[in-house]
Amino acid sequence: MSVETIFSKIINREVPADIVYQDDLVTAFRDINPRAPSHILIVPNRYIPTVNDATDSDEAAFGRMFTVARNIAESEGISESGYRLIVNCNKHGGQEVYHIHMHLVGGKPLGPILVG
């Protein structure tokens, strides 16, 4: 990775995190400030700052993010009751870490929107 982010350090296991899944394309770990009983971040291992920076070559990683989300939701016991997948883009979209990531949030009723 050319740019160091807290997420790249987690992917490379340079900082501790509760990693629940990792393969050659994506890494998933528990959010340190969870908004729900299950709050897991799923990130591509390759550094991509925002959705605006995605390219056609990233499609495999993005597809994997969704299948990993499905599998984690199942293992967390929230697939039947429901969960939310959130990707924020840039400042007005609420993005805080500029390494694209998907929030998997569930384990309680979330209401019409999730606000921070």
Side-chain angles (χ1 to χ4, degrees):
M1 284 183 217
S2 59
V3 176
E4 285 287 313
T5 67
I6 188 64
F7 293 168
S8 64
K9 291 178 181 180
I10 290 170
I11 292 163
N12 293 325
R13 297 180 183 252
E14 296 169 3
V15 298
D18 186 358
I19 295 175
V20 297
Y21 180 86
Q22 187 169 45
D23 66 19
D24 60 323
L25 291 176
V26 304
T27 300
F29 51 92
R30 295 192 187 280
D31 194 295
I32 60 170
N33 295 307
R35 303 290 178 100
S38 293
H39 188 168
I40 295 163
L41 302 178
I42 305 167
V43 302
N45 294 340
R46 187 176 91 72
Y47 173 69
I48 306 164
T50 74
V51 171
N52 295 336
D53 300 297
T55 67
D56 292 348
S57 65
D58 298 315
E59 289 181 8
F62 294 149
R64 181 75 53 83
M65 289 169 71
F66 278 90
T67 56
V68 166
R70 177 201 63 212
N71 294 340
I72 292 172
E74 179 70 30
S75 68
E76 292 281 302
I78 61 173
S79 61
E80 292 300 316
S81 60
Y83 55 95
R84 186 168 290 153
L85 299 174
I86 304 165
V87 177
N88 299 320
C89 185
N90 281 326
K91 184 179 179 178
H92 286 188
Q95 187 173 2
E96 295 176 0
V97 177
Y98 284 81
H99 185 144
I100 195 170
H101 53 286
M102 174 188 290
H103 297 258
L104 184 157
V105 186
K108 70 175 188 177
L110 299 173
I113 62 171
L114 184 67
V115 262

